Amino acid sequence: ESMAIICPQGSPPDRVQQIFTALWYLWKANNDLRFNNTKWTIAKVHYETNAAISVATNPLFAVDDQPWA
């Protein structure tokens, strides 16, 4: 039920990736505050989310192209 609210069925894959990556970084920011007493700004969460998506979708970082793959 909660999942349907966060990510409605039929959402485009890039939107799903953005939602779950943002949730991941919100969770990480919460843990940083709780365990390291480090507070993240909204801008930092936004920046980290976009940076992670950029790396994940950049063809230069494709796993198949890496020598160890």
Side-chain angles (χ1 to χ4, degrees), residues 23-39:
L23 289 172
W24 166 258
Y25 279 101
L26 287 169
W27 178 79
K28 187 172 170 133
N30 182 59
N31 281 352
D32 259 0
L33 180 60
R34 183 174 184 178
F35 298 115
N36 301 323
N37 201 29
T38 304
K39 189 172 184 179

Side-chain angles (χ1 to χ4, degrees), residues 20-64:
F20 283 103
T21 304
L23 289 172
W24 166 258
Y25 279 101
L26 287 169
W27 178 79
K28 187 172 170 133
N30 182 59
N31 281 352
D32 259 0
L33 180 60
R34 183 174 184 178
F35 298 115
N36 301 323
N37 201 29
T38 304
K39 189 172 184 179
W40 288 34
T41 63
I42 294 170
K44 179 172 173 70
V45 172
H46 182 72
Y47 172 82
E48 295 294 337
T49 299
N50 288 336
I53 290 171
S54 293
V55 168
T57 58
N58 187 333
L60 294 177
F61 294 102
V63 174
D64 294 340

